[in-house]
Amino acid sequence: MSVSETPERPLLAVLDYGIGNLHSAHKGFSHVGADTRLTADRGLIRDACGVVLPGVGAFGPCMRALRERGLDEVALDRIHAGIPFFGICIGMQMLFSGSAEAPQMDGLGVFPQLVRPLADTVKRPQIQWNKLDIHREHPMLTDLGDEAWVYFVHSYAPDAGEEVIATCDYGGPVTAAVARDNVWAAQFHPEKSGATGLRILSNFVAFASDSAKVAA
């Protein structure tokens, strides 16, 4: 039996590309019961029930580091294979076609929109707790309650599209969470968002576990 066949503690691969909030994401998912590995090992990533792409800082350096380690191709391979995939902060932004922060750098293109600066009328970056405005039901947002407050640190956010499941109000609606099929992503940091964030991480672990059971 491979490590991916233990759905009680599903194996999650946190992509180690040498930059970003890698360790805090690793600790967060481990805290809610996943067998979490910070790794760039292709075999281990292929064995995983779910894959996590964290990121903090700037779009350009994060995207460059991901490509230099060849993990862009690995990420897309897992996404196209239908494996549960979670992008966090810059990890979410990298799933889009590109960012105004680094116009010369292509994103992964999972979602077609661009990432743009927050409104000129607000302080950038947004460094604060903010309330999620939930647009539609989704497993990521299960059991969050009526007041879902989460922690943001960002100056850019993706344009709105049909994949948006939650926004926050910061000089107008800001894309806060997106989802399509096996891909989930959050602009905020669930691993730093208290009980609400832990519930979101738990929801992803459950999603990965259920997916592994179906595939077994």
Side-chain angles (χ1 to χ4, degrees), residues 46-115:
R46 282 193 298 269
D47 278 345
C49 299
V51 178
V52 180
L53 176 60
V56 294
F59 181 93
C62 285
M63 199 68 237
R64 185 178 303 110
L66 192 73
R67 286 208 167 99
E68 286 175 350
R69 298 198 177 196
L71 293 177
D72 58 329
E73 296 178 357
V74 176
L76 288 172
D77 174 75
R78 296 293 80 200
I79 289 170
H80 295 152
I83 301 302
F85 193 98
F86 200 141
I88 297 174
C89 197
I90 302 297
M92 168 176 163
Q93 295 180 13
M94 288 193 284
L95 293 171
F96 286 78
S97 62
S99 174
E101 188 176 21
Q104 76 286 358
M105 184 75 67
D106 290 336
L108 293 173
V110 176
F111 302 115
Q113 292 84 7
L114 289 173
V115 176

Side-chain angles (χ1 to χ4, degrees), residues 4 7-8 10-12 29 32 34 48-52 78-79 81-87 138-142 178-185 199-215:
S4 64
E8 303 82 16
L11 175 68
L12 297 187
F29 281 105
V32 295
C49 299
V51 178
V52 180
R78 296 293 80 200
I79 289 170
I83 301 302
F85 193 98
F86 200 141
H138 186 273
M140 185 200 302
L141 308 175
T142 298
V178 300
R180 188 180 68 201
D181 301 327
N182 57 306
V183 180
W184 300 9
R199 169 51 57 189
I200 291 170
L201 297 184
S202 294
N203 289 342
F204 184 75
V205 171
F207 176 42
S209 179
D210 290 345
S211 298
K213 292 175 183 176
V214 170

